[in-house]
Amino acid sequence: MSRINKNVILALLTLTSSAFLLFQLYYYKHYLSAKNGASLSKQRGSRVGFEGTQWRAVKKFIMLTSSQNVPVFLIDPLILELIDKNSGQVKNVSHGSTSECKFFCVPRDFTAFALQYHLWKNEEGWFRLAENMGFQCLKIESKDPRLDGIDSLSGTEIPLHYICKLASHAIHLVIFYERSGNYLWHGHLRLKGHIDKKFVPFRKLQFGRYPGAFDRPELQHITVDGLEVLIPKDPMHFLEEVPHSRFIECRYKEARAFFQQYLDDNTVEAMAFRKSAKELLQLAAKTLKKLGVRFWLSSGTCLGWYRQCNIISYSKDVDLGIFIKDYRSDIISAFQDAGLPLKHKFGKVEDSLELSFQGKDDVKLDIFFFYEETDHMWNGGTQAKTGKKFKYLFPKFTLCWTEFVDMKVHVPCETIEYIEANYGKTWKIPVKTWDWKRSPPNVQPNGVWPISEWDEVIQLY
Amino acid sequence: MDDWKPSPLVKPFGARKKRSWYLTWKYKLTNQRALRRFCQTGAVLFLLVTVIVNIKLILDTRRAINEANEDPEPEQDYDEALGRLEPPRRRGSGPQRVLDVEVYSSRSKVYVAVDGTTVLEDEAREQGRGIHVIVLNQATGHVMAKRVFDTYSPHEDEAMVLFLNMVAPGRVLICTIKDEGSFHLKDTAKALLRSLGSQAGPALGWRDTWAFVGRKGGPVLGEKHSKSPALSSWGDPVLLKTDVPLSSAEEAECHWADTELNRRRRRFCSKVEGYGSVCSCKDPTPIEFSPDPLPDNKVLNVPVAVIAGNRPNYLYRMLRSLLSAQGVSPQMITVFIDGYYEEPMDVVALFGLRGIQHTPISIKNARVSQHYKASLTATFNLFPEAKFAVVLEEDLDIAVDFFSFLSQSIHLLEEDDSLYCISAWNDQGYEHTAEDPALLYRVETMPGLGWVLRKSLYKEELEPKWPTPEKLWDWDMWMRMPEQRRGRECIIPDVSRSYHFGIVGLNMNGYFHEAYFKKHKFNTVPGVQLRNVDSLKKEAYEMEVHRLLSEAEVLDHSKNPCEDSFLPDTEGHTYVAFIRMEKDDDFTTWTQLAKCLHIWDLDVRGNHRGLWRLFRKKNHFLVVGVPASPYSMKKPPSVTPIFLEPPPKEEGAPGAAEQT
C-alpha cells in the first residue's frame, strides 16, 4: 500500500528530525559550556533569554576582570538606562534572587565597559587569559595624544579599544586615559587596513566613532542579574554626557609650524598675560560649571586655541560664547561672587546681549550670547558712544570638547568655519590691530538702539 | 490550514506528540485528499529543512573550533617586523643561506659589510682606535652588538674579555683593528682570542692589521693579518671576504618555558648581545623582581621619569636596581630616550616598561636640557593627577630603600614651601664622610641624581622659562641659579640613596669618576626608618641646628684641619669647626678644606646658611663659616676662624666638571 508506505516514510522522517532536534538541544547546551566558543549564526544567539549569550559573555568578562583585579566599569548606555530606571529594584535584587535576567539579557550586539588605563596592571597577561577563556579579542591602538603637544616625542602606541567577542556577543572595552584638566579621554576607533571589517558590526558601537571626553565618574558596586559590576554613581549624568562627548585635539603640528614662522612671544609681559588669562579662564569655567551653563571659546581665544594651541599673548581679553537659551539671570552675580565685577553690559536678553567682567591684572572677560536662527547663529555688539548695534553672523555649529591650557573646554566642532567667518581666510596671519566694528568679515550693521532704551542696553561700570 | 503550518517554535515537541497531532488531523481530513497530500508534502519539506539546518550547524561549529585552535600567534607579526628593520637580509631562503661578510682593517679606516650592507664604517681621525667587535645573530645575520675596545690603552682588554665571554655560543664574531690594538692586549685577552680559534690574535703585534670572522665556540670562518714591518709604520691594509653559513632559528634560540616574561626575553636576546646572563639558556637571570611592597607607600602613585641617552648597558643596570627597590610600581615608570636608538628601547621592552623616544633638538648640554624639559612635560601629561615626579638618570644605581626614603619624606614637599626638592644624593656623602642612613639634611644646593620635583614648581615656574634650545645651558646649573631656586632648599640624606656609576658621559670621564664619584657612600640597608623627619621643616631645622651647635665640642683650631688628627679618635661625638667666610659667597677656605677632605670641591655643595654637616671618623662634624653664617654667634670669642690660602694658580680648574 502506497499510503502506508508514505506514512511509514513520514514517521521515519519525523523520528529522524526529532532525533536531530534532540541532538540540537543537547549540542546547544554543550556548545554554551564549551570553552572555545565558536561563532554561531546570530539569530540563534539573541533569541535565548536568561543564561543567554549576552549574559554569559558579560559574566565571563566580569569574572576575568575581577580575577585580575582590573576595575572595569559598565558604560553601556542601554543597560545604564535600564538600571537607572529600575534603580529601586536593582538594590533589592542585589542579594541572591537571579530568577529574572532583566538587564544583561536584553538583545544587543555589544556590551560596553570602560577602564582607566593606569589601573590596568597586567594588560598583556589579561589579554592572553581572555583568549584562553574563549574570547576573540581585537585591540585598536594609536599614538598617544598626551605626547602630541610636546615637540618631537614619540612613544609606543597606546591601546584605545578592545573588542572581545564570545560567540555572538561582543564586549567593547573602552580605555579611558586621564588628561590634564581632570577629565577622562577615550580615542577614536579607527579600523586600520589589516583589521577584519566584519569582525563585529562596528557601526553599531556606541563609543569610538569620535574621540570622547568625560568627567571622571565616581563609581559604585551594584549587583545586576547576579553579576557584580561597577557603574557610575550617577548613571544619569554619564548618560547625558554620552551624546555630547565628542572631543577634538588641538592641532599641535600646525601650531608648531605657526611658531616656526612667527616665533613665540616669550617676553615677561607675554608670559604674565598668558598666566593671568589662563587663571581668568579657569575661574570663569569653574563659575559657569557650577551654574551648569555651557560655554565655548570664542573670538580671539578660540583663534588662539586653533592656530597656536595657546593664548594669544597680545589679545588682552578672554572671549567666551554662550547660547542665549542657556542664559541664567544669576550669571552676573555668580561672577561677582567669584571676584569678577561686571565691567559693562550691552543689549538685553532678547537682543544682542554681551557681558564683560573685569579680571585681575587688567585682563577682561567677554561673554557673547549667541542667538540661533533657522540657518545661522549670530551674536551682537554695541558701540557705547553711539548706541550703534552690530551683528556677527556665524554658520550653525555644534559643540565639542577640547583641551586648552590644562582645561577641558568646549569649542565649536566646525571650528574652521567658525574662525573663517570671524577672521576670514587669512586667520593664519597674526594681526595685532583689530577693530571689532570693522575688521571681522562677518560683521553687519544692525541699526541703533532707541535712546529710550540706552539706560538698559548700555551699562558701563 | 495556516494553523498546521509548522513554525520553528513548535520544534521542541517530541515525536509522539507530533504523531498524535497528525492522527487527529488525519481523521478529520481523511476525505480531503488534496489537502492531506499538501500537508504531507509540507511536513516532509519541514523535516528535510530541519535535517539540513542541523547538518549545517554541525559543520559550522566544527569549522569555528578548528579556526580557534589554529590560534594565530601575534608574535609572528612582531618577528616579521624585526626582520624588516634590520638591513642585512639573508640571501634567499633556500638551503644555501649564507651571508657574505667583508671586513677591512687598516691604519685609518675599518669597515664591515654584511651582504653588501655596511654595518660598521669608521674612518674618523683620532677616533675609534683599537679592536672593533661586531656580533651577528647566527640565524638572521642581524647585528646584535657593536663595540670598540681601545686596547692600546690599559684595562680596555679586560672589558673586551668580559664582553666576549658574555656573548652566547654560536654567535658570529667579527673583529677588526683600526690603528693600533695590541699595546695593552694582555695575555688573558690573547688566550681568549686563541680559544676562539684565532691564529693571528694571540700573536698580534704593534700596529698590525687584523680581520677576523668566527663563530663563538665554533669554527673560524676567516682571518687575515698583516704584520707591521717597523715600529714607525703600520701593517698593510687587509680585506677579508668570507661566507658565513647561517644556522636555523631553533639553534640560535634557547628553550625557555613559554611564559610572558620569557617571550620578552626571547625577543630581546634574539636582537642584542652583551647583557650577560639575562640571555643564558640554562640559568637566565630574572627580569622580573618582586621586591617587598612598602607598607603605607606614599609614593606609589608618583610617576618616575628615567632620563636616558644611548647607553643601553647603563640603562639595563639602572632599571634592574630600580625594579628591585622596595615599593616600586613599574607602571609608573617611563623611560625617556634622547634619540631614536633601538637598543635602549629593547632594554625598556625587556623589562616591560614604557619607553618614549625624543627627536634630538640642539646639541650638547642644550640637547640634554631640551630632553629634560620634554620628558618632564610628558611625565606630567601622562600622569595629570600626580603632584610630584621622581626624576632619575640612566647611570644611577637605586638603593633598595629609595622609595621608602621618599615615602617617609615626601610630605615635607607638600607642607613646606621653603623646599625646592628632595634628592637621594648627598654631594658630600663619601665613604669617609657619611655615616647615618637615618639622618637627613637641608641644603641650599640642588644635588640632582635621583630627586623629586613638585608639579607646581615645574608647571608654574620652571617650564615657562626653561632655557630655550639656542642657550647652551646645563639644565641643572640653570636650576641651581638663584633666579630659579629663590632661596629654597633641598632635603638630602646623609647616606645617598643613589649611586652614580656612569663613567662615559657628556661631562664624564674615567679620571673624573674615580676622583669624585667612586668612593661615594650608597645605602644598602633595606627599610631604614628615617629619624625625626618633621625636624627638617624650616623652623624646626633651625632649632635642631642650634641644639647641635650648642652641644658640639669646639675643635682645636690651632691644628691643621687637613690633618687626620684634627678630629679626636672618638665615636659618636659632635664637633664643630669655624672657618673664615667673609660674605655669603666667599668659599675660599671651604674649597680648600673640601679639597683636603677629599670631598666635592669643584663648586660649593651641601651648605645650609654657611653650615656644612658631615661625618669624620664616625663623629658628626660641623663646619661654620664665620662671620657670614648666622650660626657664627655660636663661636666662642677665643676661637680664630680657620683660614686656608688657595694654592697659587697653576692649572686651570677642571672646567666642564658637572655631574649631568
Side-chain angles (χ1 to χ4, degrees):
Chain A
M1 290 271 286
S2 67
R3 192 177 297 169
I4 289 168
N5 277 346
K6 269 183 196 163
N7 282 339
V8 168
I9 289 168
L10 201 61
L12 270 174
L13 265 171
T14 316
L15 271 173
T16 337
S17 87
S18 310
F20 265 113
L21 276 170
L22 282 172
F23 167 77
Q24 199 178 337
L25 274 173
Y26 162 78
Y27 195 86
Y28 195 74
K29 252 188 175 169
H30 176 77
Y31 153 78
L32 279 179
S33 58
K35 282 228 154 177
N36 278 320
S39 57
L40 276 168
S41 61
K42 226 188 326 164
Q43 300 93 307
R44 248 165 234 285
S46 53
R47 204 176 287 142
V48 191
F50 195 56
E51 296 271 322
T53 341
Q54 289 102 334
W55 188 81
R56 283 193 160 265
V58 171
K59 182 182 171 190
K60 270 202 169 183
F61 179 76
I62 287 172
M63 267 163 51
L64 175 67
T65 52
S66 60
S67 73
Q68 294 281 299
N69 266 328
V70 182
V72 296
F73 57 98
L74 185 73
I75 51 165
D76 199 284
L78 190 74
I79 299 173
L80 281 185
E81 208 169 314
L82 281 174
I83 289 176
D84 192 57
K85 271 187 206 149
N86 297 287
S87 53
Q89 290 171 28
V90 172
K91 268 161 212 148
N92 297 339
V93 174
S94 33
H95 296 291
S97 117
T98 52
S99 55
E100 205 184 350
C101 178
K102 281 171 98 175
F103 304 98
F104 287 127
C105 301
V106 181
R108 68 204 182 279
D109 293 292
F110 298 99
T111 309
F113 283 89
L115 172 65
Q116 287 193 49
Y117 188 67
H118 73 278
L119 301 174
W120 204 352
K121 306 278 184 224
N122 180 7
E123 185 192 344
E124 199 125 322
W126 181 92
F127 190 60
R128 302 222 166 247
L129 209 62
E131 293 199 322
N132 287 342
M133 284 177 86
F135 283 104
Q136 290 175 285
C137 288
L138 179 74
K139 179 180 182 181
I140 312 271
E141 286 182 305
S142 189
K143 64 186 172 68
D144 192 335
R146 295 168 302 177
L147 301 178
D148 262 11
I150 310 159
D151 204 2
S152 61
L153 280 195
S154 58
T156 33
E157 299 212 318
I158 51 168
L160 300 181
H161 296 266
Y162 271 97
I163 295 173
C164 288
K165 192 162 76 168
L166 184 74
S168 65
H169 192 67
I171 305 288
H172 180 195
L173 181 61
V174 183
I175 315 289
F176 278 162
Y177 289 87
E178 288 192 32
R179 299 277 301 258
S180 311
N182 197 25
Y183 67 100
L184 298 181
W185 171 91
H186 74 73
H188 177 189
L189 198 154
R190 185 180 284 127
L191 295 179
K192 290 179 190 158
H194 61 274
I195 290 172
D196 176 14
K197 305 267 187 303
K198 293 199 182 94
F199 182 68
V200 286
F202 287 104
R203 289 183 175 285
K204 294 187 186 165
L205 285 173
Q206 304 265 11
F207 296 89
R209 175 174 292 266
Y210 299 111
F214 291 86
D215 290 339
R216 184 200 320 277
E218 262 188 81
L219 301 178
Q220 60 172 344
H221 279 280
I222 61 160
T223 307
V224 227
D225 292 342
L227 301 175
E228 197 186 332
V229 286
L230 271 171
I231 62 162
K233 211 165 205 163
D234 184 356
M236 234 15 245
H237 175 73
F238 185 83
L239 287 170
E240 280 163 11
E241 282 187 276
V242 173
H244 310 290
S245 65
R246 185 177 165 191
F247 180 89
I248 41 186
E249 208 68 63
C250 195
R251 302 152 71 245
Y252 295 107
K253 231 168 102 191
E254 286 82 354
R256 274 198 289 277
F258 175 84
F259 282 125
Q260 260 173 13
Q261 199 174 351
Y262 297 105
L263 292 183
D264 202 1
D265 185 359
N266 276 327
T267 55
V268 180
E269 300 81 55
M271 286 198 312
F273 172 75
R274 280 205 205 104
K275 190 162 182 257
S276 348
K278 178 180 167 180
E279 279 163 12
L280 180 61
L281 182 56
Q282 270 164 346
L283 184 61
K286 204 174 117 193
T287 312
L288 288 170
K289 181 158 190 179
K290 229 185 275 169
L291 293 175
V293 173
R294 268 185 309 170
F295 71 92
W296 66 92
L297 305 184
S298 191
S299 309
T301 312
C302 187
L303 179 65
W305 168 76
Y306 193 72
R307 189 171 67 187
Q308 48 207 68
C309 297
N310 207 339
I311 292 163
I312 299 177
S313 54
Y314 50 84
S315 59
K316 306 276 174 274
D317 52 13
V318 172
D319 303 312
L320 304 182
I322 293 179
F323 289 123
I324 195 67
K325 62 176 187 240
D326 292 335
Y327 173 81
R328 291 177 47 156
S329 51
D330 49 357
I331 286 181
I332 295 175
S333 58
F335 272 105
Q336 271 162 345
D337 291 346
L340 299 173
L342 188 64
K343 191 159 184 255
H344 58 240
K345 179 185 174 196
F346 293 134
K348 47 190 179 177
V349 178
E350 301 77 41
D351 186 9
S352 301
L353 184 63
E354 178 192 341
L355 300 175
S356 189
F357 298 92
Q358 185 59 56
K360 264 193 305 182
D361 305 321
D362 229 24
V363 186
K364 200 161 56 105
L365 172 70
D366 288 330
I367 299 182
F368 305 105
F369 288 86
F370 278 63
Y371 296 81
E372 192 167 353
E373 306 293 335
T374 47
D375 61 339
H376 68 281
M377 313 257 196
W378 62 275
N379 73 301
T382 302
Q383 190 177 21
K385 264 189 294 181
T386 57
K388 272 190 194 159
K389 286 165 71 188
F390 297 92
K391 203 172 187 179
Y392 301 85
L393 305 183
F394 291 91
K396 282 207 159 184
F397 58 87
T398 49
L399 293 182
C400 279
W401 290 111
T402 192
E403 185 179 307
F404 186 59
V405 292
D406 296 333
M407 254 184 296
K408 184 184 88 164
V409 288
H410 273 130
V411 287
C413 301
E414 297 79 9
T415 325
I416 184 77
E417 288 83 1
Y418 188 87
I419 282 179
E420 286 191 351
N422 212 177
Y423 293 98
K425 295 271 183 203
T426 56
W427 56 269
K428 274 189 188 161
I429 303 161
V431 180
K432 292 202 179 180
T433 47
W434 187 259
D435 181 355
W436 59 271
K437 302 177 290 303
R438 237 165 282 138
S439 305
N442 62 337
V443 67
Q444 278 182 5
N446 191 22
V448 183
W449 290 107
I451 306 248
S452 58
E453 284 188 49
W454 279 30
D455 279 350
E456 188 201 341
V457 300
I458 303 177
Q459 297 181 24
L460 301 166
Y461 298 90
Chain B
M1 272 294 297
D2 277 1
D3 288 342
W4 204 83
K5 206 176 176 186
S7 107
L9 286 172
V10 202
K11 268 194 218 170
F13 283 105
R16 219 175 296 158
K17 242 186 181 165
K18 210 164 223 180
R19 206 168 159 73
S20 60
W21 263 68
Y22 168 73
L23 286 175
T24 337
W25 280 101
K26 188 185 155 190
Y27 291 122
K28 279 195 179 169
L29 302 172
T30 193
N31 292 328
Q32 305 177 20
R33 250 184 99 92
L35 188 63
R36 203 180 63 201
R37 174 146 290 182
F38 182 80
C39 292
Q40 281 175 348
T41 327
V44 168
L45 269 175
F46 161 63
L47 293 174
L48 274 174
V49 166
T50 320
V51 170
I52 288 165
V53 163
N54 270 290
I55 289 170
K56 192 175 173 320
L57 169 72
I58 292 167
L59 288 178
D60 271 3
T61 326
R62 205 32 69 80
R63 206 186 50 220
I65 287 172
N66 283 342
E67 268 170 17
N69 286 344
E70 273 165 26
D71 194 13
E73 274 287 310
E75 236 181 323
Q76 280 173 359
D77 292 348
Y78 187 82
D79 286 339
E80 274 170 32
L82 283 185
R84 260 178 268 119
L85 285 176
E86 287 280 337
R89 297 295 299 161
R90 55 187 79 132
R91 219 196 272 156
S93 54
Q96 86 292 11
R97 298 196 314 150
V98 166
L99 294 174
D100 90 69
V101 176
E102 270 178 55
V103 190
Y104 183 79
S105 163
S106 71
R107 172 194 173 181
S108 55
K109 177 180 179 178
V110 285
Y111 79 82
V112 174
V114 178
D115 267 1
T117 312
T118 307
V119 295
L120 165 75
E121 185 162 28
D122 186 349
E123 47 186 335
R125 306 179 78 191
E126 328 245 315
Q127 256 187 37
R129 177 183 56 202
I131 304 180
H132 291 250
V133 181
I134 287 182
V135 184
L136 301 183
N137 186 308
Q138 66 270 44
T140 60
H142 295 161
V143 176
M144 302 183 74
K146 226 194 298 194
R147 299 281 193 284
V148 54
F149 301 98
D150 179 12
T151 43
Y152 170 81
S153 311
H155 302 306
E156 286 274 312
D157 63 330
E158 293 161 24
M160 186 174 88
V161 169
L162 203 68
F163 175 75
L164 289 177
N165 279 331
M166 278 199 293
V167 171
R171 301 277 189 237
V172 179
L173 286 173
I174 303 174
C175 304
T176 174
I177 288 184
K178 183 181 178 188
D179 192 358
E180 213 303 304
S182 72
F183 190 51
H184 271 103
L185 194 68
K186 293 281 173 342
D187 287 345
T188 338
K190 288 186 173 170
L192 180 69
L193 292 180
R194 188 176 296 118
S195 77
L196 291 173
S198 166
Q199 301 277 321
L204 277 179
W206 172 252
R207 290 185 173 173
D208 287 0
T209 51
W210 176 58
F212 170 85
V213 179
R215 209 179 273 282
K216 175 141 187 222
V220 175
L221 300 160
E223 182 167 21
K224 268 191 182 172
H225 174 226
S226 170
K227 276 214 94 53
S228 150
L231 270 185
S232 58
S233 58
W234 282 262
D236 295 328
V238 292
L239 175 62
L240 170 67
K241 287 189 182 187
T242 184
D243 281 347
V244 174
L246 289 175
S247 51
S248 68
E250 295 81 63
E251 277 174 53
E253 279 187 359
C254 298
H255 301 282
W256 295 306
D258 187 38
T259 62
E260 192 52 50
L261 291 179
N262 281 340
R263 247 173 245 132
R264 293 203 312 242
R265 190 193 297 277
R266 188 165 295 131
R267 237 173 265 166
F268 181 77
C269 294
S270 67
K271 271 187 93 178
V272 293
E273 262 291 355
Y275 291 83
S277 55
V278 73
C279 293
S280 150
C281 282
K282 268 196 190 140
D283 185 22
T285 183
I287 52 170
E288 193 179 54
F289 318 88
S290 310
D292 296 336
L294 206 57
D296 191 24
N297 189 349
K298 301 238 174 20
V299 289
L300 191 67
N301 293 319
V302 174
V304 177
V306 179
I307 315 286
N310 190 18
R311 295 183 287 177
N313 283 278
Y314 283 9
L315 184 62
Y316 173 78
R317 171 171 167 180
M318 187 273 166
L319 291 177
R320 285 192 80 88
S321 75
L322 175 62
L323 292 170
S324 309
Q326 265 187 21
V328 66
S329 46
Q331 65 273 19
M332 300 305 286
I333 299 173
T334 315
V335 182
F336 293 94
I337 297 161
D338 190 9
Y340 284 99
Y341 302 115
E342 263 188 64
E343 202 168 321
M345 259 327 226
D346 295 334
V347 172
V348 173
L350 170 71
F351 292 111
L353 300 174
R354 175 184 359 194
I356 291 177
Q357 289 173 313
H358 180 212
T359 322
I361 310 174
S362 193
I363 47 158
K364 287 189 182 165
N365 296 346
R367 170 169 166 180
V368 173
S369 163
Q370 292 311 303
H371 182 51
Y372 259 89
K373 184 187 182 190
S375 308
L376 296 177
T377 306
T379 301
F380 288 120
N381 273 4
L382 291 172
F383 299 94
E385 297 292 281
K387 278 194 264 173
F388 309 101
V390 175
V391 185
L392 301 174
E393 287 158 40
E394 69 184 336
D395 51 5
L396 297 178
D397 278 331
I398 300 303
V400 64
D401 74 332
F402 178 78
F403 292 104
S404 155
F405 158 71
L406 294 182
S407 173
Q408 292 175 65
S409 56
I410 198 145
H411 67 277
L412 293 173
L413 265 190
E414 264 177 293
E415 293 161 13
D416 188 347
D417 289 340
S418 67
L419 285 181
Y420 199 47
C421 76
I422 296 176
S423 174
W425 177 261
N426 177 4
D427 284 305
Q428 311 294 21
Y430 291 84
E431 287 287 355
H432 60 289
T433 56
E435 204 59 51
D436 186 351
L439 182 63
L440 302 178
Y441 301 135
R442 275 178 86 102
V443 295
E444 289 171 14
T445 51
M446 201 207 83
L449 300 180
W451 54 290
V452 183
L453 170 68
R454 203 193 266 132
K455 181 179 184 177
S456 58
L457 171 68
Y458 180 68
K459 281 281 162 193
E460 285 158 30
E461 299 181 38
L462 303 180
E463 189 186 32
K465 50 179 184 174
W466 197 273
T468 43
E470 72 275 7
K471 296 197 178 90
L472 302 178
W473 290 351
D474 275 320
W475 70 273
D476 52 343
M477 292 310 269
W478 177 78
M479 269 193 77
R480 286 180 188 124
M481 282 170 17
E483 294 89 326
Q484 275 63 254
R485 194 171 63 81
R486 295 206 269 173
R488 288 168 291 191
E489 295 185 295
C490 289
I491 301 281
I492 58 163
D494 180 49
V495 180
S496 299
R497 265 36 177 212
S498 60
Y499 178 75
H500 186 257
F501 62 76
I503 298 178
V504 198
L506 187 56
N507 300 318
M508 266 293 160
N509 58 54
Y511 164 74
F512 188 63
H513 186 264
E514 190 100 10
Y516 290 104
F517 290 102
K518 203 163 180 193
K519 303 237 169 71
H520 231 96
K521 194 155 187 164
F522 175 61
N523 181 50
T524 50
V525 185
V528 175
Q529 200 65 40
L530 301 179
R531 201 174 329 112
N532 237 338
V533 178
D534 281 328
S535 74
L536 270 296
K537 289 187 186 168
K538 196 173 173 39
E539 284 80 24
Y541 194 69
E542 291 313 309
M543 284 166 61
E544 173 71 9
V545 168
H546 278 280
R547 187 189 64 77
L548 269 175
L549 285 168
S550 306
E551 65 178 44
E553 302 161 42
V554 179
L555 287 162
D556 181 354
H557 282 57
S558 62
K559 283 186 182 167
N560 181 352
C562 292
E563 297 283 324
D564 206 40
S565 59
F566 185 60
L567 269 94
D569 291 317
T570 52
E571 250 184 54
H573 286 241
T574 306
Y575 296 107
V576 60
F578 298 91
I579 61 169
R580 197 195 287 179
M581 179 174 162
E582 297 296 342
K583 289 180 299 178
D584 280 347
D585 57 353
D586 167 25
F587 299 114
T588 327
T589 302
W590 166 255
T591 307
Q592 293 316 308
L593 184 62
K595 204 162 264 170
C596 69
L597 289 177
H598 298 292
I599 55 177
W600 185 271
D601 59 2
L602 299 180
D603 57 5
V604 183
R605 299 284 174 92
N607 52 314
H608 166 80
R609 309 179 80 198
L611 165 81
W612 286 265
R613 294 177 66 180
L614 35 126
F615 279 85
R616 294 286 288 136
K617 300 184 189 171
K618 307 210 164 174
N619 300 300
H620 201 18
F621 175 40
L622 312 175
V623 179
V624 177
V626 178
S629 168
Y631 310 122
S632 303
M633 63 200 201
K634 294 277 179 186
K635 182 182 79 70
S638 57
V639 169
T640 319
I642 296 165
F643 175 66
L644 295 174
E645 193 90 40
K649 270 186 216 157
E650 306 160 24
E651 43 193 328
E658 206 32 67
Q659 49 177 80
T660 314

